[in-house]
Amino acid sequence: MATLKMVPNKPMSYSERPSRNYTRSMSKIMLCALAFVALISMPGAGFAQTMDPVFAEHQKAWTTKHEFSSPLVDHLPASTGVPSPRDVLGHDIGAPRVLDRYADILKYYRALAAKTKRVKIIETGATEEGRPTVIVLISADENIANLEINRQNLVKLGDPRGLTEDQAKDLIARTKPIYLILGGLHSAETGPPEMLMELAYRLVTEDSPLIASIRQNVIVGINPTTDPDGRDRYTDWYYRNKIDDTDDLDPVPGAPYWGKYIFHDNNRDINYTGFSSRNLLAFYLQWRPPIMHDLHESVPFLYTFSGQAPQNPSLDPILFGEMPWISNFEMAQLTKYGMPGVWTHGFVDEWSPGYVGFMSTNHNGLFKMYETFGNGGATTELRHIKPVEGPGEDLHASDQTVREWFRPNPPYKTVEWSMRDNTNYMETALLSALQMTSEFPQQILENFYRKSFNSIAAGRTEAPYAFIIPGDQADMTKVALVINLLRLQGIEIGRTSAEITLKEGKFPAGSFLVKRDQPYGRLAKILLEKQKFPDSKLKTYDDSAWSMGMMAHVKVVPTADLTALDATVQPVDQYRPDGTIGTASAAAFAVLDHGSINMATLRYRLRNVSVRIAEQPFKTGDQEIPAGSFVIEGKAYEKLKAAVVPLGLTALALDKVPNVPMHEAALPRLAIYSTWGSTQNVGWIRYAFDRLETPYELIFKDEIRKGGLRSNYDVIIVPSQGRSAKSIVFDIPMRGKPLPYTKTAEFPTQGAYGSSPDIRGGMGLVGVEELRKFVNDGGTLITLGDSSAVPGEFGITPDIEVSRPTKAFYAPGPIVNAKVLKPANPIFYGYTDTTLTVRWATTALLALPFRNQNDVLMSFPGGDKMVQSGLMVGACEVKNRPAIVDLPVGSGQVLMFMTNPIHRWQNFGEFRMLYNALFSYKGLRKDLGGPPVMPDEPTAAEDKPADAC
Ligand SMILES: [Zn+2]
């Protein structure tokens, strides 16, 4: 396509920008303007179509520099029967100070679909707050008419078992690739949901050869907003608090909540807890789009992902050819249009499978991702782009304005940046990616087919050939969690009906077999294997480990025995272990504790029943009943049965109440403390607690500062909030204006999950003192992960020293061994091993005086052998550091986890430690304290192992 002559336009001054009442005032003006539409032909483009002069005028005025536009987006066809965004929303896309709420976004797509045969809307479900989720499919009339057959073809190409090469070729020739675009996963990244509406309209209406070719050869899918709840909450926040931000050196902080629970981690939700991610996954598995493209905002001006190292070696090598194939094309096209600051290769890697859009590469598709420069709203802002080196930083690694081989025309150091600039870049790049796809649809489909084919073949040629999850594990409820999460992702699982013998041993009937010779065999391997990080000099963007078995404390055995593939199995759809209960007339029941997290739910379902916890193991007949088991009187049979059976637990009948030490499983009055500035990790705890039916109060600075905590609560949990102790105490600085987060008629989404007239200021030292009083008066304070630095650094436990590892230490979420030092302590009910796998979760290291040696319940042995999966550089720095400590303070206690016992919805094996602490909070110190054990003199004969610290 020939380029248009571009005329520099002067940057728009602030006074020229539309006011907040823009939408109301502009619609009348536009109606007048439309009456004067003339035929505009695009020079050199080989077509003539009536264009919308009002749009062109706006686009030019709202673009801050002429080079921030392109010939692909400086025009828009005049509306003739098919509604443009302005017809429905009252404004053109990229209007300053205007963000659309989700209902209006949906209204636009539905209005568009109502007036054209080129659009079909697929309903996919609803969000936590009840907003509908949809996918909008756009293509030529005949492609939309043929959608169902095309869908079936893609399913066959994605699972080519039984297809010959000729049949595959024939299918490829008759099929259009679906290119699925996601916008608005992160609610502060406000541009994509706006831009996508304009793209949809353009794809439906424009007659240029480029757009016609895309329409003919590609089915474009649009997920209008991947987090609809967050879109509305952020938009309300923007209008109320952030709309006047004009300089990024003095920004108003973002909204405290987006969606219901997990904020930015909706892109780390490896097990698809979020409803909209889950709905998207269900759509994905039904439609199998070969390309998925996730739109984000952060680095300037536009970064297009190409899958840089570390790359997950289990993924097909074809992927690492096709990702840069398209991203290099986009970079070349935009650079050719004169747009500076477009780059690739230098940001985000392809290691962890946990990002939402990676559902495509996990399932043999192709993933694309942009980071476009965005202002966290639609206000034009002066932006400063890392012009200088920060302390300890490498200029070339951190300064995105520096020229690099992968960034040939870098972004500017300062720039006035608008929503329309953001739209221009993203839409131009997307049209370039769609151009490439429309020119090579057969190659895209061939690659998709070949990657799917290779995944099946690799399962027969590369060990492990299968994973066995033995069916005789003491706790089958955690096995069920793993099985059902694998099934959710479309992985096939079979169950054996007879014992099988493999190289690795015998496995009983009822074991689960995940054979690798299936379309998603690679994904099964990625999720179940131990992660061997390829190069300890590389960094990774998120967790370096996620091995499901280690995270869940479920035994998973990889097999190098090919005969596993021939074992007879029954396909498993969902697995739900049945609970059992003994005879109704028993004197009492013992609910066996083998570490199920469903024991927690059981306790809450029996909240009106006396539930005692056996402190020691005992026997009934030949049956050993472990410590931690619940003992419940026989008269509660009906209530117990109603809970135990669906929860998959075992209640044995006892002929008498056992004569062992027991204590009541406590139901403490429980509060969870949240800062306003970092609600995400708190959100994961809230998610787990809600799902496990655990009642709690969520409290914030105002409740803490008010005091009187002990009269309201027995236990306060301070979850890891991912930041320093100082930031947990002081939180959002008292700068600028008050920041209300309260529900009003104008801003109905505010005030959800917590409410404050001003979220600034933190609990402060006043709050710390109230927490200290709470503990002193007999309360139990439980801190998780990095929050465990607060008691030591702010004097609640003055004997604890807190330090940080050296700069050489690097531990992006590995799974490590921890050593249980007090196995009889209630915290370890349900655990039988004294070495447990836990996810590394802290940047703070604790040190206790020697006299407190007996207050440490679990520690990190240190050294490379401690690392079970993923990467930890400098593992000797954590040698013998406490992992769990309980210290008495006044008449209360502070229980500090340096692990995070609820890390996302992921480390199920650790959850019980936190629940044990709740149910037995009064008895945690029973075997703690007392004089330390004096160590023996080391003998010279003791050889240190090679990796010893
Ligand atoms: Zn993002």
Side-chain angles (χ1 to χ4, degrees):
M1 162 163 306
T3 47
L4 292 171
K5 189 175 158 218
M6 286 181 291
V7 185
N9 51 1
K10 70 177 167 65
M12 184 171 46
S13 71
Y14 286 98
S15 58
E16 286 172 310
R17 288 193 195 112
S19 72
R20 225 173 139 175
N21 295 323
Y22 163 83
T23 47
R24 263 164 281 165
S25 60
M26 286 305 277
S27 45
K28 278 184 195 159
I29 301 169
M30 278 159 202
L31 286 175
C32 303
L34 278 173
F36 301 101
V37 166
L39 187 84
I40 296 173
S41 98
M42 289 175 70
F47 80 109
Q49 187 175 14
T50 306
M51 292 294 161
D52 174 355
V54 176
F55 171 86
E57 195 181 298
H58 286 154
Q59 195 272 347
K60 191 173 171 188
W62 299 339
T63 299
T64 60
K65 282 182 181 295
H66 70 89
E67 65 267 33
F68 294 166
S69 182
S70 82
L72 306 191
V73 298
D74 62 359
H75 60 277
L76 198 64
S79 169
T80 50
V82 176
S84 73
R86 192 176 68 225
D87 292 335
V88 175
L89 304 168
H91 66 88
D92 282 310
I93 297 301
R97 302 167 74 92
V98 177
L99 289 182
D100 292 295
R101 292 186 172 82
Y102 186 65
D104 291 323
I105 292 172
L106 276 191
K107 188 170 136 195
Y108 176 67
Y109 287 107
R110 295 200 197 281
L112 183 67
K115 295 290 183 186
T116 174
K117 288 181 178 153
R118 294 174 173 175
V119 174
K120 184 171 171 66
I121 295 179
I122 311 288
E123 306 289 332
T124 60
T127 66
E128 283 80 354
E129 295 180 355
R131 292 175 180 83
T133 54
V134 303
I135 300 290
V136 181
L137 297 174
I138 304 171
S139 196
D141 296 18
E142 61 274 23
N143 294 341
I144 293 295
N146 201 33
L147 268 182
E148 176 54 23
I149 288 172
N150 200 80
R151 186 191 71 77
Q152 290 169 16
N153 292 354
L154 286 171
V155 168
K156 285 180 201 157
L157 292 172
D159 180 2
R161 285 174 293 192
L163 277 189
T164 64
E165 289 282 328
D166 284 346
Q167 287 169 329
K169 242 182 226 163
D170 175 57
L171 267 181
I172 287 165
R174 291 189 283 112
T175 306
K176 310 288 179 187
I178 297 179
Y179 190 119
L180 179 60
I181 308 164
L182 321 177
L185 175 66
H186 289 153
S187 306
E189 300 161 22
T190 53
E194 299 288 334
M195 180 279 293
L196 287 171
M197 292 189 277
E198 180 174 300
L199 178 74
Y201 176 73
R202 190 182 300 284
L203 289 173
V204 168
T205 58
E206 190 174 309
D207 293 333
S208 67
L210 167 66
I211 302 295
S213 168
I214 294 170
R215 221 163 29 223
Q216 202 54 46
N217 298 307
V218 185
I219 298 165
V220 178
I222 290 177
N223 190 26
T225 303
T226 314
D227 181 355
D229 298 342
R231 173 71 183 188
D232 284 354
R233 191 160 294 108
Y234 189 89
T235 300
D236 278 356
W237 177 265
Y238 168 75
Y239 280 125
R240 190 179 196 178
N241 295 314
K242 224 176 141 47
I243 191 165
D244 294 325
D245 274 6
T246 52
D247 187 333
D248 67 358
L249 296 181
D250 189 24
V252 167
Y257 289 98
W258 295 347
K260 184 170 182 181
Y261 290 112
I262 58 174
F263 213 74
H264 194 269
D265 261 6
N266 59 8
N267 204 25
R268 310 289 186 274
D269 186 9
I270 192 168
N271 290 323
Y272 296 92
T273 63
F275 287 3
S276 63
S277 302
R278 198 168 274 219
N279 298 344
L280 184 64
L281 176 65
F283 172 86
Y284 185 91
L285 293 173
Q286 201 186 344
W287 290 79
R288 318 271 175 126
I291 305 185
M292 199 153 170
H293 192 147
D294 199 9
L295 301 173
H296 288 261
E297 289 179 359
S298 65
V299 295
F301 291 137
L302 185 136
Y303 167 77
T304 167
F305 177 72
S306 57
Q308 73 165 358
Q311 299 172 334
N312 197 307
S314 296
L315 293 168
D316 196 304
I318 293 170
L319 175 67
F320 298 103
E322 57 185 3
M323 282 196 288
W325 174 53
I326 301 185
S327 62
N328 280 329
F329 179 72
E330 293 159 329
M331 180 168 72
Q333 288 293 89
L334 271 68
T335 304
K336 181 174 68 188
Y337 297 138
M339 302 173 93
V342 179
W343 51 294
T344 180
H345 296 299
F347 189 68
V348 188
D349 53 89
E350 181 82 33
W351 176 250
S352 163
Y355 310 102
V356 163
F358 281 24
M359 77 173 66
S360 53
T361 47
N362 290 341
H363 294 90
N364 307 315
L366 165 55
F367 176 66
K368 292 191 51 55
M369 189 265 288
Y370 294 158
E371 299 283 355
T372 311
F373 207 35
N375 292 348
T379 309
T380 302
E381 274 190 48
L382 181 64
R383 302 295 307 269
H384 304 77
I385 300 156
K386 272 250 167 156
V388 289
E389 216 169 335
E393 274 180 324
D394 170 8
L395 180 64
H396 270 258
S398 63
D399 187 347
Q400 281 144 353
T401 66
V402 170
R403 181 174 176 152
E404 279 281 3
W405 68 268
F406 53 79
R407 197 191 291 127
N409 188 8
Y412 305 159
K413 290 187 190 303
T414 56
V415 64
E416 198 187 29
W417 188 258
S418 70
M419 182 62 131
R420 187 64 221 185
D421 296 334
N422 169 288
T423 301
N424 292 343
Y425 268 78
M426 222 182 323
E427 193 176 353
T428 304
L430 258 174
L431 287 169
S432 302
L434 290 169
Q435 176 186 354
M436 184 81 155
T437 309
S438 71
E439 285 171 15
F440 296 95
Q442 304 294 294
Q443 279 76 0
I444 297 286
L445 290 170
E446 258 173 47
N447 289 0
F448 178 53
Y449 158 71
R450 187 60 59 192
K451 286 179 289 182
S452 305
F453 180 93
N454 289 350
S455 175
I456 299 163
R460 289 206 158 263
T461 54
E462 296 164 12
Y465 305 111
F467 292 86
I468 302 110
I469 302 176
D472 58 353
Q473 306 193 38
D475 173 27
M476 291 302 284
T477 65
K478 287 204 294 289
V479 171
L481 275 171
V482 170
I483 296 291
N484 294 333
L485 288 172
L486 293 170
R487 290 289 305 129
L488 184 70
Q489 298 218 42
I491 293 169
E492 295 168 4
I493 300 176
R495 198 160 189 201
T496 60
S497 48
E499 181 182 86
I500 57 167
T501 304
L502 299 170
K503 276 181 191 169
E504 291 77 14
K506 287 184 195 304
F507 300 93
S511 292
F512 298 91
L513 201 54
V514 186
K515 298 181 180 181
R516 281 242 292 121
D517 59 343
Q518 58 164 307
Y520 305 147
R522 289 187 193 278
L523 176 58
K525 177 170 183 286
I526 289 169
L527 293 175
L528 293 171
E529 73 184 347
K530 168 181 178 144
Q531 277 78 53
K532 295 188 194 108
F533 202 74
D535 181 347
S536 62
K537 289 188 288 300
L538 291 173
K539 303 269 191 244
T540 188
Y541 201 64
D542 195 61
D543 282 354
S544 62
W546 50 84
S547 314
M548 284 180 86
M550 290 186 202
M551 283 277 194
H553 293 188
V554 163
K555 188 173 181 187
V556 177
V557 183
T559 179
D561 193 333
L562 250 181
T563 64
L565 296 180
D566 303 321
T568 308
V569 291
Q570 280 70 50
V572 173
D573 180 22
Q574 292 283 297
Y575 169 55
R576 264 175 229 298
D578 278 335
T580 58
I581 185 163
T583 160
S585 57
F589 295 92
V591 182
L592 302 185
D593 184 11
H594 292 297
S596 171
I597 60 177
N598 292 357
M599 294 288 278
T601 310
L602 175 68
R603 180 65 191 103
Y604 295 110
R605 286 192 187 170
L606 298 180
R607 70 177 68 80
N608 298 320
V609 172
S610 167
V611 173
R612 282 177 291 172
I613 298 176
E615 295 175 6
Q616 291 167 10
F618 63 97
K619 281 198 159 184
T620 176
D622 290 340
Q623 175 79 43
E624 170 98 5
I625 299 181
S629 296
F630 288 176
V631 176
I632 294 152
E633 285 186 25
K635 63 184 183 202
Y637 173 80
E638 289 300 334
K639 281 181 183 164
L640 181 60
K641 184 181 175 189
V644 153
V645 174
L647 290 171
L649 299 168
T650 302
L652 289 184
L654 304 176
D655 51 15
K656 58 179 190 332
V657 175
N659 185 22
V660 289
M662 294 191 282
H663 61 266
E664 185 71 17
L667 293 169
R669 297 170 302 159
L670 176 62
I672 299 178
Y673 173 70
S674 179
T675 58
W676 284 109
S678 183
T679 64
Q680 174 164 288
N681 288 352
V682 184
W684 282 111
I685 308 275
R686 289 170 48 230
Y687 177 80
F689 277 22
D690 286 356
R691 187 135 167 194
L692 299 172
E693 304 173 24
T694 310
Y696 61 89
E697 272 183 47
L698 185 65
I699 60 173
F700 297 83
K701 64 178 172 75
D702 298 343
E703 290 83 358
I704 295 273
R705 295 170 71 106
K706 201 163 65 192
L709 296 168
R710 184 66 191 100
S711 58
N712 292 325
Y713 309 112
D714 301 308
V715 176
I716 298 176
I717 298 177
V718 184
S720 166
Q721 314 200 17
R723 304 178 305 154
S724 66
K726 186 181 143 203
S727 70
I728 290 170
V729 171
F730 297 108
D731 200 24
I732 301 170
M734 290 298 289
R735 228 190 347 254
K737 59 187 180 182
L739 295 175
Y741 181 66
T742 50
K743 183 175 177 168
T744 67
E746 193 182 1
F747 305 115
T749 63
Q750 309 295 280
Y753 315 116
S755 178
S756 177
D758 184 3
I759 66 170
R760 298 170 309 157
M763 71 165 88
L765 295 176
V766 176
V768 173
E769 177 55 16
E770 291 301 336
L771 284 179
R772 196 197 57 78
K773 275 195 232 162
F774 166 75
V775 177
N776 206 51
D777 295 349
T780 294
L781 180 67
I782 301 179
T783 57
L784 311 180
D786 280 340
S787 293
S788 292
V790 173
E793 292 191 335
F794 282 84
I796 297 174
T797 55
D799 287 345
I800 285 195
E801 288 298 326
V802 182
S803 63
R804 309 277 179 223
T806 66
K807 279 208 85 168
F809 183 82
Y810 180 55
I815 301 170
V816 302
N817 276 342
K819 194 168 185 298
V820 175
L821 304 175
K822 303 284 180 190
N825 190 277
I827 283 195
F828 301 110
Y829 288 149
Y831 296 88
T832 50
D833 294 334
T834 51
T835 298
L836 303 176
T837 49
V838 298
R839 182 194 174 269
W840 182 258
T842 184
T843 59
L845 303 176
L846 302 188
L848 277 76
F850 186 52
R851 66 171 178 276
N852 289 110
Q853 187 200 50
N854 274 324
D855 295 316
V856 181
L857 294 105
M858 188 166 85
S859 69
F860 298 112
D864 291 343
K865 281 192 176 166
M866 175 184 83
V867 183
Q868 297 302 297
S869 189
L871 178 69
M872 178 181 275
V873 177
C876 280
E877 294 193 30
V878 306
K879 184 180 174 171
N880 293 334
R881 291 292 188 160
I884 306 177
V885 180
D886 188 281
L887 283 185
V889 173
S891 49
Q893 61 186 333
V894 181
L895 175 64
M896 287 158 274
F897 285 86
M898 301 315 294
T899 54
N900 184 356
I902 297 182
H903 167 68
R904 300 174 176 163
W905 181 247
Q906 201 173 356
N907 57 342
F908 308 119
E910 296 179 63
F911 282 25
R912 272 292 303 278
M913 291 183 227
L914 183 58
Y915 275 103
N916 288 340
L918 295 180
F919 296 149
S920 298
Y921 76 100
K922 292 174 187 165
L924 296 180
R925 294 211 45 82
K926 202 174 271 183
D927 58 348
L928 302 183
V933 179
M934 300 306 289
D936 293 334
E937 287 289 317
T939 58
E942 277 177 358
D943 280 339
K944 283 194 163 185
D947 74 329
C949 302

